Structure formats: C-alpha cells, structure tokens
Amino acid sequence: MGLALLIAFNTTTIGVDERAREHATMLAFGLPPRTVLGLTVTESVLVGVLGTVTGVAAGYGLLAWLTATTIAGVMPEIGVTAALSAGTVAAAVLRQLDAAPVNPIEVSQ
C-alpha cells in the first residue's frame, strides 16, 4: 500500500507540474478553479484505473506463463494451473481506490 501511495503521489505531482501553464491559461480565460480541479482529478483517476487494469492483465499473463512453462518443467506431477480469483481483482481495485484520494491536487492560481 505504501508503494502504491508513493507511485500515485509521484505520478500526480509530475502531471500537475507539467500542466501548470495549461491550468494558468484555463484560469486566465475564466474557467472556474473547481472545473480545473475536476479535470485534474479525472485525469488522475483515469491513470489509476488504466494502471490497475494493465497491472492485473500483466500479472495474470506472467502467472499463466510461469505455470505453463517453468513450474510444469520442474514439477510436472503437481499440475499447477493459473487462476485469478475475483477476490484478487477486488483487492487490486480497492488498493487503487485507497491510493487515489490521497493524490496531491494543486491548481495554480
């Protein structure tokens, strides 16, 4: 959880820093700070969701590859199969939802 929080913090901080001029321009053209903040939050949530989906898919792919090649070659009598439970996916989604709200949201004014 700590590593997820650090990654979320770092990603959001970099994104906000890169878009400081864009935020200032939007505010200068009269966009309310609430809207600019909403755009930043939406972007952070989308990055978090895409990262979670990519991580679960890559993890399952690695698990399937390991069980099909490595484990089967070393201990074929055991017959290990790859399985991803709904609880595991739910835990990954909940960890992402835990980390998303603590992201730093800064809007230049």
Side-chain angles (χ1 to χ4, degrees):
M1 184 63 185
L3 183 59
L5 290 174
L6 289 173
I7 291 170
F9 182 86
N10 189 34
T11 302
T12 303
T13 302
I14 290 170
V16 169
D17 287 343
E18 288 179 355
R19 290 170 179 77
R21 288 186 182 186
E22 295 172 12
H23 294 163
T25 303
M26 288 188 274
L27 292 168
F29 279 111
L31 211 60
R34 184 179 75 214
T35 304
V36 176
L37 183 64
L39 291 170
T40 304
V41 169
T42 302
E43 178 184 353
S44 294
V45 168
L46 287 175
V47 168
V49 168
L50 289 175
T52 302
V53 169
T54 303
V56 169
Y60 181 73
L62 182 64
L63 175 67
W65 176 76
L66 283 172
T67 56
T69 59
T70 306
I71 295 174
V74 175
M75 297 181 285
E77 64 278 0
I78 292 179
V80 177
T81 59
L84 187 61
S85 69
T88 302
V89 174
V93 170
L94 288 175
R95 292 291 182 206
Q96 190 272 331
L97 292 175
D98 285 345
V102 297
N103 289 337
I105 305 297
E106 304 168 9
V107 178
S108 304
Q109 290 187 354

